[in-house]
């Protein structure tokens, strides 16, 4: 892993090790991928301000997220089908996050279930909730997260309908993978991936399989999921969920100031400025361009987390400078997982930690609290 010097190295390795359908599932965005590309382009356009001759020998990347101490202003974002990038992927990623002392968020659409992960790790993790039409199932899912002692509930609010990802359709991306000749040949060329999956605890949606009446096999599960995203989802449902969940609530997928104001009124502990990594509304603004107005509007009343395009410690610095408390990492850690399991995720975190620390030194700051608009060059 030492020769993996940047997230791009992990990406290239993951591309070689993970079957194409799953690699492209992680890589891709919706429709023309304009928002996906804007996330990266707009971050890269922000120039950091080089400062000299400041004593930076005592600098630290430590901070807090939701009041809890963390070693780095970073959390691992909820990622569906993590366990298809690498066998037992969710458990491995959670362990890497906990060793690095940063939060891990398990997706509703994970392969390992809430209970699998809870049994395999020592500390609490966050759980991400998609609201399904079957509210009995949603309530039961929240109750399972409570029983597993999850330390925060992240409610994703930007997926009442699914943005289409052309690549997934072209690749026959299903769980388990569609048995096309091209997929079988591809899997045969990725033996270490196949072995990891064969040895893994599960190969389908762990939070759903066996928990829905009348849905016994993978095919009926796929139908159930496709029909379950709820177009009626509204602010009333946020209230309902807040009434069931006793802990900290995070609203993920906010890109608009008006929505941010409404989110701040719900009593949620945090919101995530996010366009779902460019996988939902194509043509929506980049996450980083949406961040400053939201910080201005509600930054004093709710914690603001950020995701979308973060691939380096420099990107983390840019988002924090524009007012984010911390970033979520999606693809960056998924590339690490595909490249090398737990060690790959640990490497992804380490790469971003080192980059952030060096960037702090070269912009002349010693603490995360000191990172503000002054580290950015006004253009
Ligand atoms: C492969 C993949 C699966 C995802 N699955 C989920 C999910 O299940 N729930 C969710 O709230 N967000 C999901 N997201 C969005 C991420 O949580 C996050 O918002 C996004 O990846 C951030 O952008 P980045 O990948 O550029 O870092 C997914 C993203 C990717 C790339």
């Amino acid at each position: 892993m030492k020769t993996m010097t940047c997230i791009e190295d992990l990406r290239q390795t993951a591309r070689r090790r993970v079957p194409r359908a799953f690699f492209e599932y992680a890589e891709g965005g919706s429709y023309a991928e304009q928002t996906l590309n804007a996330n990266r382009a707009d971050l890269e356009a922000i120039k950091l301000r080089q400062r000299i001759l400041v004593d930076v020998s005592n600098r630290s990347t430590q901070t807090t997220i939701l009041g809890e101490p963390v070693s780095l202003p970073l959390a691992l974002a909820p990622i569906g089908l993590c366990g298809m990038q690498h066998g037992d992927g969710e458990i491995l990623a959670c362990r890497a996050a906990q060793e690095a002392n940063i939060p891990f968020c398990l997706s509703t659409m994970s392969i390992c279930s809430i209970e699998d992960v809870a049994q395999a790790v020592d500390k609490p993790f966050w759980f991400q909730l998609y609201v399904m039409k079957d509210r009995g199932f949603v309530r039961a899912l929240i109750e399972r997260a409570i029983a597993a002692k999850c330390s925060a509930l992240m409610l994703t609010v930007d997926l009442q309908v699914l943005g289409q990802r052309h690549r997934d359709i072209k690749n026959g991306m299903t769980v388990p993978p569609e048995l096309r000749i091209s997929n079988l040949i591809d899997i045969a060329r990725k033996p270490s991936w196949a072995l990891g999956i064969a040895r893994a605890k599960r190969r389908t949606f762990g939070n759903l399989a066996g928990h829905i009446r009348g849905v016994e096999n993978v095919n009926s599960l796929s139908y159930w999921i496709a029909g379950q995203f709820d177009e009626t989802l509204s602010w009333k449902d946020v209230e309902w969920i807040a009434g069931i969940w006793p802990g900290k609530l995070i609203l993920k997928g906010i890109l608009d100031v008006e929505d941010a104001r409404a989110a701040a009124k719900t009593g949620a502990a945090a919101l995530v400025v996010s366009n779902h990594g460019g996988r939902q509304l194509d043509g929506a603004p980049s996450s980083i361009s949406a961040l400053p107005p939201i910080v201005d509007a509600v930054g004093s009343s709710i914690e603001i987390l950020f995701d979308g395009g973060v691939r380096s410690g420099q990107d983390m610095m840019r988002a924090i400078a524009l007012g984010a408390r911390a970033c979520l990492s999606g693809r960056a850690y998924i590339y690490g997982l595909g490249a090398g399991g737990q060690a790959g995720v640990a490497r992804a975190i380490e790469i971003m930690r080192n980059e952030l620390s060096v960037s702090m030194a070269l912009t002349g700051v010693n603490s995360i609290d000191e990172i503000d608009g002054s580290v950015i060059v006004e253009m």
Side-chain angles (χ1 to χ4, degrees):
M1 280 291 152
K2 269 197 182 145
T3 54
M4 302 279 153
T5 56
C6 56
I7 298 298
E8 180 58 21
D9 286 347
L10 294 169
R11 178 176 166 273
Q12 294 295 345
T13 309
R15 192 213 281 277
R16 286 194 299 276
R17 294 179 69 113
V18 177
R20 182 189 163 118
F22 291 116
F23 179 80
E24 294 210 330
Y25 162 72
E27 179 97 325
S30 57
Y31 302 99
E33 301 189 336
Q34 289 174 358
T35 298
L36 171 77
N37 295 330
N39 278 351
R40 288 289 312 129
D42 288 357
L43 270 170
E44 280 173 358
I46 298 169
K47 303 299 172 214
L48 298 173
R49 186 167 161 225
Q50 174 177 301
R51 300 299 308 278
I52 56 163
L53 300 179
V54 179
D55 178 352
V56 288
S57 57
N58 285 318
R59 70 191 182 284
S60 162
T61 61
Q62 287 175 17
T63 181
T64 61
I65 303 178
L66 302 180
E68 298 294 324
V70 290
S71 70
L72 191 64
L74 188 72
L76 301 191
I79 299 287
L81 311 186
C82 226
M84 283 289 141
Q85 302 294 329
H86 190 290
D88 290 333
E90 291 87 3
I91 290 173
L92 301 182
C94 187
R95 284 188 181 143
Q98 294 192 344
E99 274 181 17
N101 198 20
I102 63 170
F104 168 81
C105 188
L106 183 73
S107 165
T108 291
M109 293 299 170
S110 56
I111 300 293
C112 297
S113 69
I114 306 176
E115 294 80 10
D116 294 337
V117 180
Q119 270 166 25
V121 302
D122 306 325
K123 294 182 228 161
F125 52 92
W126 299 351
F127 181 67
Q128 175 265 329
L129 182 71
Y130 279 132
V131 181
M132 308 295 193
K133 283 181 188 159
D134 181 343
R135 293 301 152 87
F137 174 76
V138 173
R139 179 185 278 275
L141 203 52
I142 298 173
E143 282 163 1
R144 287 166 63 193
I146 295 170
K149 301 198 165 39
C150 289
S151 49
L153 185 73
M154 185 181 277
L155 173 63
T156 298
V157 290
D158 61 2
L159 202 136
Q160 275 144 297
V161 296
L162 264 180
Q164 176 172 304
R165 292 187 298 273
H166 300 327
R167 304 197 214 189
D168 288 354
I169 296 171
K170 292 187 167 78
N171 288 330
M173 218 308 287
T174 56
V175 180
E178 205 175 287
L179 292 181
R180 294 178 177 177
I181 298 280
S182 55
N183 285 343
L184 290 175
I185 294 173
D186 188 31
I187 288 171
R189 287 196 186 124
K190 275 109 189 192
S192 62
W193 175 89
L195 195 65
I197 297 289
R199 285 185 182 149
K201 240 186 157 92
R202 291 179 198 275
R203 280 165 287 282
T204 187
F205 297 100
N207 288 326
L208 315 184
H211 292 275
I212 306 154
R213 230 174 295 140
V215 179
E216 310 305 340
N217 60 38
V218 171
N219 276 346
S220 49
L221 187 58
S222 300
Y223 277 114
W224 186 84
I225 293 169
Q228 274 294 326
F229 289 109
D230 192 349
E231 296 184 17
T232 71
L233 192 67
S234 74
W235 289 103
K236 276 216 162 85
D237 297 293
V238 177
E239 242 174 73
W240 176 69
I241 288 158
I244 304 172
W245 175 255
K248 289 169 189 161
L249 184 66
I250 306 170
L251 299 179
K252 171 172 182 280
I254 286 163
L255 215 55
D256 187 271
V257 167
E258 230 172 281
D259 291 338
R261 286 205 179 97
K265 284 189 195 139
T266 62
L271 64 82
V272 188
V273 174
S274 172
N275 51 34
H276 216 102
R279 295 162 80 83
Q280 284 295 96
L281 178 63
D282 196 31
S286 65
S287 287
I288 197 70
S289 68
L291 177 64
I294 291 179
V295 171
D296 282 350
V298 297
S300 55
S301 54
I302 186 167
E303 198 157 298
I304 295 181
L305 308 177
F306 168 85
D307 76 22
V310 175
R311 302 287 181 274
S312 66
Q314 288 85 342
D315 291 340
M316 290 172 64
M317 179 169 245
R318 290 168 168 132
I320 293 162
L322 293 186
R325 176 89 209 159
C327 298
L328 307 189
S329 166
R331 294 176 182 86
Y333 96 82
I334 284 300
Y335 295 144
L337 182 65
Q342 184 175 338
V345 178
R347 187 71 191 139
I349 297 168
E350 212 43 44
I351 286 169
M352 291 197 276
R353 182 199 305 286
N354 292 338
E355 289 168 340
L356 178 62
S357 175
V358 170
S359 303
M360 287 170 70
L362 298 179
T363 52
V365 298
N366 279 294
S367 70
I368 298 298
D369 282 349
E370 276 177 60
I371 301 176
D372 59 17
S374 67
V375 304
I376 284 175
V377 178
E378 277 187 38
M379 306 284 279

mmCIF file of all heavy atoms in Angstrom, residues 114-138:
data_model
loop_
_atom_site.group_PDB
_atom_site.id
_atom_site.type_symbol
_atom_site.label_atom_id
_atom_site.label_comp_id
_atom_site.label_asym_id
_atom_site.label_seq_id
_atom_site.Cartn_x
_atom_site.Cartn_y
_atom_site.Cartn_z
ATOM 1 N N ILE A 114 -26.966 -4.196 9.500
ATOM 2 C CA ILE A 114 -26.658 -3.416 10.707
ATOM 3 C C ILE A 114 -26.082 -4.352 11.774
ATOM 4 O O ILE A 114 -25.079 -4.044 12.422
ATOM 5 C CB ILE A 114 -27.937 -2.766 11.305
ATOM 6 C CG1 ILE A 114 -28.684 -1.935 10.276
ATOM 7 C CG2 ILE A 114 -27.616 -1.956 12.548
ATOM 8 C CD1 ILE A 114 -30.000 -1.348 10.790
ATOM 9 N N GLU A 115 -26.740 -5.509 11.941
ATOM 10 C CA GLU A 115 -26.325 -6.430 13.008
ATOM 11 C C GLU A 115 -24.961 -7.044 12.706
ATOM 12 O O GLU A 115 -24.138 -7.197 13.622
ATOM 13 C CB GLU A 115 -27.377 -7.543 13.186
ATOM 14 C CG GLU A 115 -28.735 -7.061 13.702
ATOM 15 C CD GLU A 115 -29.632 -6.434 12.623
ATOM 16 O OE1 GLU A 115 -29.286 -6.528 11.427
ATOM 17 O OE2 GLU A 115 -30.666 -5.827 12.978
ATOM 18 N N ASP A 116 -24.701 -7.359 11.423
ATOM 19 C CA ASP A 116 -23.388 -7.922 11.051
ATOM 20 C C ASP A 116 -22.275 -6.953 11.449
ATOM 21 O O ASP A 116 -21.256 -7.355 12.004
ATOM 22 C CB ASP A 116 -23.265 -8.096 9.516
ATOM 23 C CG ASP A 116 -24.221 -9.135 8.956
ATOM 24 O OD1 ASP A 116 -24.656 -10.005 9.715
ATOM 25 O OD2 ASP A 116 -24.512 -9.061 7.733
ATOM 26 N N VAL A 117 -22.475 -5.679 11.094
ATOM 27 C CA VAL A 117 -21.418 -4.689 11.358
ATOM 28 C C VAL A 117 -21.288 -4.479 12.866
ATOM 29 O O VAL A 117 -20.168 -4.464 13.398
ATOM 30 C CB VAL A 117 -21.693 -3.354 10.612
ATOM 31 C CG1 VAL A 117 -20.592 -2.335 10.900
ATOM 32 C CG2 VAL A 117 -21.800 -3.593 9.104
ATOM 33 N N ALA A 118 -22.433 -4.363 13.551
ATOM 34 C CA ALA A 118 -22.378 -4.121 15.005
ATOM 35 C C ALA A 118 -21.609 -5.233 15.720
ATOM 36 O O ALA A 118 -20.848 -4.977 16.656
ATOM 37 C CB ALA A 118 -23.792 -3.995 15.575
ATOM 38 N N GLN A 119 -21.803 -6.476 15.248
ATOM 39 C CA GLN A 119 -21.109 -7.608 15.896
ATOM 40 C C GLN A 119 -19.610 -7.591 15.615
ATOM 41 O O GLN A 119 -18.815 -8.091 16.398
ATOM 42 C CB GLN A 119 -21.662 -8.923 15.365
ATOM 43 C CG GLN A 119 -22.833 -9.439 16.184
ATOM 44 C CD GLN A 119 -23.574 -10.541 15.441
ATOM 45 O OE1 GLN A 119 -23.009 -11.227 14.589
ATOM 46 N NE2 GLN A 119 -24.854 -10.686 15.739
ATOM 47 N N ALA A 120 -19.236 -7.017 14.465
ATOM 48 C CA ALA A 120 -17.846 -7.128 14.007
ATOM 49 C C ALA A 120 -16.951 -5.972 14.446
ATOM 50 O O ALA A 120 -15.740 -6.030 14.241
ATOM 51 C CB ALA A 120 -17.824 -7.236 12.477
ATOM 52 N N VAL A 121 -17.542 -4.908 14.993
ATOM 53 C CA VAL A 121 -16.718 -3.745 15.371
ATOM 54 C C VAL A 121 -16.923 -3.409 16.840
ATOM 55 O O VAL A 121 -17.875 -3.878 17.463
ATOM 56 C CB VAL A 121 -17.041 -2.511 14.485
ATOM 57 C CG1 VAL A 121 -16.833 -2.812 13.006
ATOM 58 C CG2 VAL A 121 -18.458 -1.999 14.734
ATOM 59 N N ASP A 122 -16.018 -2.562 17.369
ATOM 60 C CA ASP A 122 -16.051 -2.281 18.811
ATOM 61 C C ASP A 122 -16.867 -1.056 19.185
ATOM 62 O O ASP A 122 -17.345 -0.940 20.304
ATOM 63 C CB ASP A 122 -14.619 -2.008 19.325
ATOM 64 C CG ASP A 122 -13.681 -3.122 18.967
ATOM 65 O OD1 ASP A 122 -14.147 -4.271 18.964
ATOM 66 O OD2 ASP A 122 -12.501 -2.839 18.673
ATOM 67 N N LYS A 123 -16.928 -0.118 18.238
ATOM 68 C CA LYS A 123 -17.538 1.174 18.614
ATOM 69 C C LYS A 123 -18.798 1.419 17.787
ATOM 70 O O LYS A 123 -18.972 0.816 16.727
ATOM 71 C CB LYS A 123 -16.538 2.293 18.336
ATOM 72 C CG LYS A 123 -15.303 2.236 19.223
ATOM 73 C CD LYS A 123 -14.382 3.395 18.917
ATOM 74 C CE LYS A 123 -12.961 2.907 18.751
ATOM 75 N NZ LYS A 123 -12.074 3.816 18.056
ATOM 76 N N PRO A 124 -19.630 2.368 18.235
ATOM 77 C CA PRO A 124 -20.849 2.678 17.471
ATOM 78 C C PRO A 124 -20.523 3.300 16.113
ATOM 79 O O PRO A 124 -19.485 3.922 15.943
ATOM 80 C CB PRO A 124 -21.576 3.693 18.342
ATOM 81 C CG PRO A 124 -20.944 3.634 19.674
ATOM 82 C CD PRO A 124 -19.551 3.137 19.488
ATOM 83 N N PHE A 125 -21.426 3.106 15.173
ATOM 84 C CA PHE A 125 -21.306 3.718 13.841
ATOM 85 C C PHE A 125 -22.617 4.416 13.526
ATOM 86 O O PHE A 125 -23.591 4.279 14.262
ATOM 87 C CB PHE A 125 -20.952 2.652 12.782
ATOM 88 C CG PHE A 125 -21.870 1.464 12.781
ATOM 89 C CD1 PHE A 125 -22.992 1.424 11.972
ATOM 90 C CD2 PHE A 125 -21.628 0.364 13.626
ATOM 91 C CE1 PHE A 125 -23.853 0.335 11.992
ATOM 92 C CE2 PHE A 125 -22.485 -0.729 13.644
ATOM 93 C CZ PHE A 125 -23.597 -0.746 12.826
ATOM 94 N N TRP A 126 -22.624 5.209 12.438
ATOM 95 C CA TRP A 126 -23.854 5.888 12.019
ATOM 96 C C TRP A 126 -24.633 4.970 11.076
ATOM 97 O O TRP A 126 -24.045 4.135 10.395
ATOM 98 C CB TRP A 126 -23.543 7.176 11.262
ATOM 99 C CG TRP A 126 -22.790 8.223 12.020
ATOM 100 C CD1 TRP A 126 -22.489 8.237 13.359
ATOM 101 C CD2 TRP A 126 -22.236 9.427 11.469
ATOM 102 N NE1 TRP A 126 -21.787 9.376 13.667
ATOM 103 C CE2 TRP A 126 -21.617 10.119 12.538
ATOM 104 C CE3 TRP A 126 -22.197 9.989 10.193
ATOM 105 C CZ2 TRP A 126 -20.962 11.341 12.342
ATOM 106 C CZ3 TRP A 126 -21.556 11.200 10.010
ATOM 107 C CH2 TRP A 126 -20.952 11.876 11.068
ATOM 108 N N PHE A 127 -25.950 5.204 11.036
ATOM 109 C CA PHE A 127 -26.771 4.456 10.079
ATOM 110 C C PHE A 127 -27.518 5.429 9.170
ATOM 111 O O PHE A 127 -28.094 6.408 9.639
ATOM 112 C CB PHE A 127 -27.771 3.539 10.805
ATOM 113 C CG PHE A 127 -28.621 2.741 9.851
ATOM 114 C CD1 PHE A 127 -28.054 1.762 9.047
ATOM 115 C CD2 PHE A 127 -29.989 2.998 9.719
ATOM 116 C CE1 PHE A 127 -28.821 1.047 8.127
ATOM 117 C CE2 PHE A 127 -30.763 2.283 8.807
ATOM 118 C CZ PHE A 127 -30.168 1.302 8.014
ATOM 119 N N GLN A 128 -27.493 5.134 7.868
ATOM 120 C CA GLN A 128 -28.205 5.975 6.888
ATOM 121 C C GLN A 128 -29.531 5.336 6.523
ATOM 122 O O GLN A 128 -29.605 4.149 6.221
ATOM 123 C CB GLN A 128 -27.334 6.140 5.628
ATOM 124 C CG GLN A 128 -28.013 6.894 4.492
ATOM 125 C CD GLN A 128 -28.672 5.965 3.483
ATOM 126 O OE1 GLN A 128 -28.221 4.853 3.257
ATOM 127 N NE2 GLN A 128 -29.780 6.409 2.882
ATOM 128 N N LEU A 129 -30.564 6.169 6.495
ATOM 129 C CA LEU A 129 -31.915 5.661 6.238
ATOM 130 C C LEU A 129 -32.475 6.174 4.921
ATOM 131 O O LEU A 129 -32.478 7.384 4.672
ATOM 132 C CB LEU A 129 -32.833 6.126 7.386
ATOM 133 C CG LEU A 129 -34.276 5.660 7.321
ATOM 134 C CD1 LEU A 129 -34.378 4.161 7.611
ATOM 135 C CD2 LEU A 129 -35.140 6.441 8.318
ATOM 136 N N TYR A 130 -32.950 5.238 4.096
ATOM 137 C CA TYR A 130 -33.823 5.584 2.975
ATOM 138 C C TYR A 130 -35.236 5.298 3.439
ATOM 139 O O TYR A 130 -35.500 4.244 4.025
ATOM 140 C CB TYR A 130 -33.528 4.700 1.759
ATOM 141 C CG TYR A 130 -32.346 5.133 0.921
ATOM 142 C CD1 TYR A 130 -31.377 4.218 0.521
ATOM 143 C CD2 TYR A 130 -32.203 6.456 0.509
ATOM 144 C CE1 TYR A 130 -30.305 4.603 -0.271
ATOM 145 C CE2 TYR A 130 -31.131 6.849 -0.276
ATOM 146 C CZ TYR A 130 -30.188 5.917 -0.667
ATOM 147 O OH TYR A 130 -29.126 6.301 -1.450
ATOM 148 N N VAL A 131 -36.145 6.227 3.156
ATOM 149 C CA VAL A 131 -37.532 6.011 3.575
ATOM 150 C C VAL A 131 -38.269 5.258 2.467
ATOM 151 O O VAL A 131 -38.367 5.728 1.339
ATOM 152 C CB VAL A 131 -38.234 7.344 3.885
ATOM 153 C CG1 VAL A 131 -39.664 7.085 4.351
ATOM 154 C CG2 VAL A 131 -37.461 8.100 4.952
ATOM 155 N N MET A 132 -38.756 4.097 2.816
ATOM 156 C CA MET A 132 -39.500 3.246 1.884
ATOM 157 C C MET A 132 -41.004 3.472 2.077
ATOM 158 O O MET A 132 -41.432 3.945 3.140
ATOM 159 C CB MET A 132 -39.192 1.772 2.175
ATOM 160 C CG MET A 132 -37.730 1.441 2.227
ATOM 161 S SD MET A 132 -37.003 1.690 0.626
ATOM 162 C CE MET A 132 -35.447 0.884 0.820
ATOM 163 N N LYS A 133 -41.771 3.071 1.060
ATOM 164 C CA LYS A 133 -43.238 3.188 1.189
ATOM 165 C C LYS A 133 -43.741 2.383 2.385
ATOM 166 O O LYS A 133 -44.680 2.762 3.060
ATOM 167 C CB LYS A 133 -43.898 2.645 -0.090
ATOM 168 C CG LYS A 133 -43.812 3.601 -1.242
ATOM 169 C CD LYS A 133 -44.503 3.005 -2.445
ATOM 170 C CE LYS A 133 -44.237 3.874 -3.661
ATOM 171 N NZ LYS A 133 -44.437 3.149 -4.910
ATOM 172 N N ASP A 134 -43.122 1.242 2.607
ATOM 173 C CA ASP A 134 -43.528 0.367 3.702
ATOM 174 C C ASP A 134 -43.019 0.949 5.030
ATOM 175 O O ASP A 134 -41.904 0.679 5.471
ATOM 176 C CB ASP A 134 -42.930 -1.031 3.454
ATOM 177 C CG ASP A 134 -43.321 -2.035 4.522
ATOM 178 O OD1 ASP A 134 -43.768 -1.618 5.614
ATOM 179 O OD2 ASP A 134 -43.175 -3.245 4.263
ATOM 180 N N ARG A 135 -43.876 1.786 5.646
ATOM 181 C CA ARG A 135 -43.433 2.507 6.847
ATOM 182 C C ARG A 135 -43.204 1.568 8.035
ATOM 183 O O ARG A 135 -42.438 1.882 8.945
ATOM 184 C CB ARG A 135 -44.420 3.623 7.219
ATOM 185 C CG ARG A 135 -44.452 4.741 6.200
ATOM 186 C CD ARG A 135 -43.084 5.390 6.039
ATOM 187 N NE ARG A 135 -42.903 5.951 4.707
ATOM 188 C CZ ARG A 135 -43.266 7.165 4.318
ATOM 189 N NH1 ARG A 135 -43.823 7.981 5.163
ATOM 190 N NH2 ARG A 135 -43.068 7.584 3.086
ATOM 191 N N GLY A 136 -43.881 0.433 8.007
ATOM 192 C CA GLY A 136 -43.630 -0.556 9.069
ATOM 193 C C GLY A 136 -42.191 -1.041 8.987
ATOM 194 O O GLY A 136 -41.497 -1.182 10.004
ATOM 195 N N PHE A 137 -41.734 -1.264 7.770
ATOM 196 C CA PHE A 137 -40.348 -1.693 7.567
ATOM 197 C C PHE A 137 -39.376 -0.591 8.008
ATOM 198 O O PHE A 137 -38.361 -0.872 8.653
ATOM 199 C CB PHE A 137 -40.117 -2.066 6.091
ATOM 200 C CG PHE A 137 -38.682 -2.376 5.802
ATOM 201 C CD1 PHE A 137 -38.128 -3.588 6.197
ATOM 202 C CD2 PHE A 137 -37.864 -1.439 5.175
ATOM 203 C CE1 PHE A 137 -36.784 -3.864 5.963
ATOM 204 C CE2 PHE A 137 -36.523 -1.711 4.941
ATOM 205 C CZ PHE A 137 -35.986 -2.923 5.334
ATOM 206 N N VAL A 138 -39.715 0.661 7.671
ATOM 207 C CA VAL A 138 -38.838 1.787 8.037
ATOM 208 C C VAL A 138 -38.725 1.888 9.562
ATOM 209 O O VAL A 138 -37.629 2.030 10.112
ATOM 210 C CB VAL A 138 -39.370 3.119 7.440
ATOM 211 C CG1 VAL A 138 -38.563 4.308 7.958
ATOM 212 C CG2 VAL A 138 -39.327 3.072 5.920
#
